PDB file of all heavy atoms in Angstrom:
ATOM      1  N   PHE A 141       6.713   4.463 -40.571  1.00 97.00           N
ATOM      2  CA  PHE A 141       5.691   3.435 -40.772  1.00 97.00           C
ATOM      3  C   PHE A 141       5.056   3.677 -42.127  1.00 97.00           C
ATOM      4  O   PHE A 141       4.545   4.763 -42.398  1.00 97.00           O
ATOM      5  CB  PHE A 141       4.609   3.454 -39.688  1.00 97.00           C
ATOM      6  CG  PHE A 141       3.432   2.589 -40.075  1.00 97.00           C
ATOM      7  CD1 PHE A 141       3.515   1.206 -39.986  1.00 97.00           C
ATOM      8  CD2 PHE A 141       2.270   3.168 -40.582  1.00 97.00           C
ATOM      9  CE1 PHE A 141       2.445   0.403 -40.379  1.00 97.00           C
ATOM     10  CE2 PHE A 141       1.197   2.362 -40.976  1.00 97.00           C
ATOM     11  CZ  PHE A 141       1.287   0.983 -40.875  1.00 97.00           C
ATOM     12  N   LYS A 142       5.089   2.635 -42.997  1.00 96.00           N
ATOM     13  CA  LYS A 142       4.508   2.729 -44.336  1.00 96.00           C
ATOM     14  C   LYS A 142       3.765   1.433 -44.615  1.00 96.00           C
ATOM     15  O   LYS A 142       4.375   0.363 -44.591  1.00 96.00           O
ATOM     16  CB  LYS A 142       5.608   2.944 -45.378  1.00 96.00           C
ATOM     17  CG  LYS A 142       6.435   4.194 -45.134  1.00 96.00           C
ATOM     18  CD  LYS A 142       7.550   4.364 -46.137  1.00 96.00           C
ATOM     19  CE  LYS A 142       8.702   3.434 -45.856  1.00 96.00           C
ATOM     20  NZ  LYS A 142       9.900   3.733 -46.679  1.00 96.00           N
ATOM     21  N   PRO A 143       2.457   1.491 -44.858  1.00 96.00           N
ATOM     22  CA  PRO A 143       1.710   0.257 -45.113  1.00 96.00           C
ATOM     23  C   PRO A 143       2.110  -0.375 -46.445  1.00 96.00           C
ATOM     24  O   PRO A 143       2.395   0.328 -47.416  1.00 96.00           O
ATOM     25  CB  PRO A 143       0.246   0.722 -45.136  1.00 96.00           C
ATOM     26  CG  PRO A 143       0.313   2.162 -45.507  1.00 96.00           C
ATOM     27  CD  PRO A 143       1.597   2.681 -44.919  1.00 96.00           C
ATOM     28  N   ASP A 144       2.138  -1.691 -46.477  1.00 95.00           N
ATOM     29  CA  ASP A 144       2.468  -2.404 -47.716  1.00 95.00           C
ATOM     30  C   ASP A 144       1.389  -2.235 -48.775  1.00 95.00           C
ATOM     31  O   ASP A 144       1.672  -2.183 -49.974  1.00 95.00           O
ATOM     32  CB  ASP A 144       2.660  -3.904 -47.436  1.00 95.00           C
ATOM     33  CG  ASP A 144       3.865  -4.164 -46.544  1.00 95.00           C
ATOM     34  OD1 ASP A 144       4.825  -3.370 -46.611  1.00 95.00           O
ATOM     35  OD2 ASP A 144       3.838  -5.141 -45.776  1.00 95.00           O
ATOM     36  N   ILE A 145       0.143  -2.172 -48.303  1.00 95.00           N
ATOM     37  CA  ILE A 145      -0.988  -2.018 -49.220  1.00 95.00           C
ATOM     38  C   ILE A 145      -1.797  -0.789 -48.812  1.00 95.00           C
ATOM     39  O   ILE A 145      -2.196  -0.654 -47.654  1.00 95.00           O
ATOM     40  CB  ILE A 145      -1.892  -3.273 -49.197  1.00 95.00           C
ATOM     41  CG1 ILE A 145      -1.079  -4.507 -49.630  1.00 95.00           C
ATOM     42  CG2 ILE A 145      -3.113  -3.080 -50.088  1.00 95.00           C
ATOM     43  CD1 ILE A 145      -1.819  -5.809 -49.487  1.00 95.00           C
ATOM     44  N   ALA A 146      -2.026   0.095 -49.769  1.00 95.00           N
ATOM     45  CA  ALA A 146      -2.776   1.328 -49.497  1.00 95.00           C
ATOM     46  C   ALA A 146      -4.281   1.044 -49.474  1.00 95.00           C
ATOM     47  O   ALA A 146      -4.732  -0.021 -49.931  1.00 95.00           O
ATOM     48  CB  ALA A 146      -2.447   2.367 -50.572  1.00 95.00           C
ATOM     49  N   ASP A 147      -5.048   1.993 -48.939  1.00 96.00           N
ATOM     50  CA  ASP A 147      -6.513   1.886 -48.938  1.00 96.00           C
ATOM     51  C   ASP A 147      -7.070   2.558 -50.190  1.00 96.00           C
ATOM     52  O   ASP A 147      -6.419   3.414 -50.793  1.00 96.00           O
ATOM     53  CB  ASP A 147      -7.091   2.604 -47.707  1.00 96.00           C
ATOM     54  CG  ASP A 147      -6.652   1.956 -46.413  1.00 96.00           C
ATOM     55  OD1 ASP A 147      -6.596   0.711 -46.355  1.00 96.00           O
ATOM     56  OD2 ASP A 147      -6.343   2.692 -45.456  1.00 96.00           O
ATOM     57  N   ALA A 148      -8.292   2.185 -50.529  1.00 94.00           N
ATOM     58  CA  ALA A 148      -8.975   2.880 -51.625  1.00 94.00           C
ATOM     59  C   ALA A 148      -9.277   4.301 -51.161  1.00 94.00           C
ATOM     60  O   ALA A 148      -9.709   4.515 -50.026  1.00 94.00           O
ATOM     61  CB  ALA A 148     -10.254   2.150 -51.987  1.00 94.00           C
ATOM     62  N   SER A 149      -9.013   5.271 -52.007  1.00 93.00           N
ATOM     63  CA  SER A 149      -9.273   6.669 -51.649  1.00 93.00           C
ATOM     64  C   SER A 149     -10.725   7.022 -51.924  1.00 93.00           C
ATOM     65  O   SER A 149     -11.478   6.217 -52.497  1.00 93.00           O
ATOM     66  CB  SER A 149      -8.360   7.599 -52.456  1.00 93.00           C
ATOM     67  OG  SER A 149      -8.822   7.699 -53.791  1.00 93.00           O
ATOM     68  N   GLU A 150     -11.118   8.240 -51.542  1.00 94.00           N
ATOM     69  CA  GLU A 150     -12.486   8.703 -51.802  1.00 94.00           C
ATOM     70  C   GLU A 150     -12.732   8.911 -53.295  1.00 94.00           C
ATOM     71  O   GLU A 150     -13.872   9.078 -53.725  1.00 94.00           O
ATOM     72  CB  GLU A 150     -12.777  10.000 -51.021  1.00 94.00           C
ATOM     73  CG  GLU A 150     -11.894  11.170 -51.391  1.00 94.00           C
ATOM     74  CD  GLU A 150     -10.694  11.344 -50.479  1.00 94.00           C
ATOM     75  OE1 GLU A 150     -10.056  10.332 -50.126  1.00 94.00           O
ATOM     76  OE2 GLU A 150     -10.379  12.502 -50.140  1.00 94.00           O
ATOM     77  N   PHE A 151     -11.658   8.872 -54.105  1.00 94.00           N
ATOM     78  CA  PHE A 151     -11.790   9.072 -55.541  1.00 94.00           C
ATOM     79  C   PHE A 151     -11.920   7.751 -56.315  1.00 94.00           C
ATOM     80  O   PHE A 151     -12.191   7.745 -57.503  1.00 94.00           O
ATOM     81  CB  PHE A 151     -10.566   9.832 -56.081  1.00 94.00           C
ATOM     82  CG  PHE A 151     -10.328  11.138 -55.405  1.00 94.00           C
ATOM     83  CD1 PHE A 151      -9.323  11.267 -54.434  1.00 94.00           C
ATOM     84  CD2 PHE A 151     -11.100  12.254 -55.689  1.00 94.00           C
ATOM     85  CE1 PHE A 151      -9.104  12.468 -53.795  1.00 94.00           C
ATOM     86  CE2 PHE A 151     -10.890  13.463 -55.050  1.00 94.00           C
ATOM     87  CZ  PHE A 151      -9.893  13.577 -54.105  1.00 94.00           C
ATOM     88  N   TRP A 152     -11.675   6.625 -55.630  1.00 94.00           N
ATOM     89  CA  TRP A 152     -11.666   5.326 -56.296  1.00 94.00           C
ATOM     90  C   TRP A 152     -12.962   5.072 -57.068  1.00 94.00           C
ATOM     91  O   TRP A 152     -14.035   5.421 -56.571  1.00 94.00           O
ATOM     92  CB  TRP A 152     -11.472   4.230 -55.246  1.00 94.00           C
ATOM     93  CG  TRP A 152     -11.151   2.894 -55.835  1.00 94.00           C
ATOM     94  CD1 TRP A 152      -9.927   2.392 -56.124  1.00 94.00           C
ATOM     95  CD2 TRP A 152     -12.099   1.899 -56.223  1.00 94.00           C
ATOM     96  NE1 TRP A 152     -10.042   1.142 -56.671  1.00 94.00           N
ATOM     97  CE2 TRP A 152     -11.373   0.811 -56.749  1.00 94.00           C
ATOM     98  CE3 TRP A 152     -13.497   1.821 -56.202  1.00 94.00           C
ATOM     99  CZ2 TRP A 152     -11.982  -0.333 -57.230  1.00 94.00           C
ATOM    100  CZ3 TRP A 152     -14.105   0.678 -56.685  1.00 94.00           C
ATOM    101  CH2 TRP A 152     -13.356  -0.385 -57.193  1.00 94.00           C
ATOM    102  N   PRO A 153     -12.910   4.549 -58.303  1.00 93.00           N
ATOM    103  CA  PRO A 153     -11.755   3.994 -59.020  1.00 93.00           C
ATOM    104  C   PRO A 153     -10.973   5.023 -59.854  1.00 93.00           C
ATOM    105  O   PRO A 153     -10.052   4.668 -60.569  1.00 93.00           O
ATOM    106  CB  PRO A 153     -12.402   2.950 -59.929  1.00 93.00           C
ATOM    107  CG  PRO A 153     -13.740   3.545 -60.268  1.00 93.00           C
ATOM    108  CD  PRO A 153     -14.169   4.295 -59.031  1.00 93.00           C
ATOM    109  N   ASN A 154     -11.357   6.283 -59.754  1.00 94.00           N
ATOM    110  CA  ASN A 154     -10.642   7.313 -60.504  1.00 94.00           C
ATOM    111  C   ASN A 154      -9.360   7.702 -59.778  1.00 94.00           C
ATOM    112  O   ASN A 154      -9.255   7.568 -58.563  1.00 94.00           O
ATOM    113  CB  ASN A 154     -11.537   8.554 -60.682  1.00 94.00           C
ATOM    114  CG  ASN A 154     -12.823   8.231 -61.419  1.00 94.00           C
ATOM    115  OD1 ASN A 154     -12.796   7.568 -62.447  1.00 94.00           O
ATOM    116  ND2 ASN A 154     -13.954   8.672 -60.883  1.00 94.00           N
ATOM    117  N   PRO A 155      -8.374   8.225 -60.513  1.00 92.00           N
ATOM    118  CA  PRO A 155      -7.127   8.641 -59.858  1.00 92.00           C
ATOM    119  C   PRO A 155      -7.312   9.945 -59.077  1.00 92.00           C
ATOM    120  O   PRO A 155      -8.134  10.767 -59.477  1.00 92.00           O
ATOM    121  CB  PRO A 155      -6.164   8.833 -61.038  1.00 92.00           C
ATOM    122  CG  PRO A 155      -7.032   9.059 -62.232  1.00 92.00           C
ATOM    123  CD  PRO A 155      -8.311   8.328 -61.979  1.00 92.00           C
ATOM    124  N   PRO A 156      -6.590  10.121 -57.966  1.00 93.00           N
ATOM    125  CA  PRO A 156      -5.736   9.124 -57.316  1.00 93.00           C
ATOM    126  C   PRO A 156      -6.592   8.108 -56.555  1.00 93.00           C
ATOM    127  O   PRO A 156      -7.325   8.476 -55.648  1.00 93.00           O
ATOM    128  CB  PRO A 156      -4.865   9.960 -56.376  1.00 93.00           C
ATOM    129  CG  PRO A 156      -5.720  11.152 -56.052  1.00 93.00           C
ATOM    130  CD  PRO A 156      -6.570  11.411 -57.263  1.00 93.00           C
ATOM    131  N   SER A 157      -6.493   6.866 -56.942  1.00 95.00           N
ATOM    132  CA  SER A 157      -7.404   5.830 -56.435  1.00 95.00           C
ATOM    133  C   SER A 157      -6.990   5.244 -55.090  1.00 95.00           C
ATOM    134  O   SER A 157      -7.768   4.575 -54.436  1.00 95.00           O
ATOM    135  CB  SER A 157      -7.521   4.698 -57.460  1.00 95.00           C
ATOM    136  OG  SER A 157      -6.239   4.136 -57.702  1.00 95.00           O
TER     137      SER A 157
END
Side-chain angles (χ1 to χ4, degrees):
F141 168 76
K142 301 178 284 190
D144 295 330
I145 300 173
D147 296 320
S149 75
E150 62 264 42
F151 304 102
W152 193 89
N154 301 313
S157 59

